[in-house]
Amino acid sequence: MQQVIETTLKSRKLISELLQKYTLEQLNKIPEGFNNNLIWNVGHIIVAQQVLVYKLSALPMMISDTMVEKYKNGSKPEQDVTQEELDEIKQLLFDTIHKTNSDYQNGLFKEYKEYTTSIGFNLKSAEEAMVYNNFHEGLHVGVMMAIKKFI
C-alpha cells in the first residue's frame, strides 16, 4: 500500500506545481468547450478521495459538507474560488494524503460500504478505493493538462 500512497503524493506534487503557475483568475477560467476549470478539478480530486476512502469507511472526512457539495460528481463551478478557498485546497492537497497514510498505518480502515463508481469500478475496501483513486486522479490530471492549453 505504500507504493499507492507514494503514487498519490507524486500526483499531488504535479498538481501543486500546476497550481503555482497560474493566477487565481486563470484557475477559475472555464475554457470554451469545457464544463469546469483547473481549480474545480483539484477540489474534485480532494473530495473524491475523501468520500471514496473515508466516508465509505464510515470515518470522519477532513473536508466540509459544503466542499463536498461544491466539488462532488456532477457538480460544476457556480462561482469563482476565492484566494482563501484556494489556500485551503492547497493545504488539503497534501494533508489529506498524509492523514490517509497515517490512518492506514494505524489500522483505522476496518469497514467499507461497497461502492460502484460511475465508470464501473466496484470497490470493496479502502485499499481498493485508494488504488482506484490514483486512476481517478490521473483522469483529472489529463483534463487539467487539456484545460491549461486554453487559459
Side-chain angles (χ1 to χ4, degrees):
M1 193 50 59
Q2 198 56 42
Q3 181 63 38
V4 172
I5 295 292
E6 287 175 22
T7 300
T8 308
L9 287 170
K10 285 181 182 172
S11 170
R12 300 286 175 106
K13 185 173 186 245
L14 286 170
I15 294 164
S16 176
E17 289 169 356
L18 183 117
L19 287 175
Q20 304 307 320
K21 293 179 182 178
Y22 296 96
T23 66
L24 187 57
E25 182 180 335
Q26 290 171 315
L27 292 172
N28 278 301
K29 181 179 180 183
I30 302 172
E32 188 174 328
F34 289 86
N35 294 327
N36 51 51
N37 53 33
L38 289 173
I39 197 61
W40 181 91
N41 278 278
V42 180
H44 175 71
I45 65 164
I46 291 168
V47 165
Q49 187 270 342
Q50 288 288 288
V51 169
L52 290 171
V53 177
Y54 280 86
K55 186 174 183 177
L56 293 173
S57 294
L59 294 171
M61 297 186 293
M62 290 180 65
I63 58 174
S64 67
D65 291 341
T66 301
M67 187 171 187
V68 172
E69 282 301 310
K70 190 170 185 174
Y71 297 105
K72 69 182 180 181
N73 279 349
S75 69
K76 62 181 181 177
E78 299 294 336
Q79 61 192 34
D80 284 353
V81 168
T82 65
Q83 184 63 50
E84 182 181 350
E85 290 170 312
L86 175 59
D87 293 343
E88 178 185 24
I89 285 169
K90 287 179 178 178
Q91 187 70 39
L92 287 168
L93 200 56
F94 291 101
D95 286 357
T96 52
I97 303 309
H98 291 307
K99 181 166 181 8
T100 301
N101 186 38
S102 175
D103 290 348
Y104 181 79
Q105 297 298 325
N106 291 323
L108 265 62
F109 298 103
K110 297 185 185 314
E111 61 182 83
Y112 195 81
K113 181 180 178 188
E114 192 172 326
Y115 176 74
T116 302
T117 69
S118 60
I119 56 175
F121 285 84
N122 190 35
L123 308 177
K124 297 178 183 173
S125 68
E127 291 87 354
E128 288 181 10
M130 290 178 211
V131 171
Y132 170 77
N133 183 69
N134 284 340
F135 169 78
H136 178 258
E137 285 195 19
L139 291 174
H140 284 277
V141 168
V143 170
M144 286 186 273
M145 295 301 147
I147 288 174
K148 74 179 197 168
K149 292 178 182 180
F150 297 98
I151 58 171

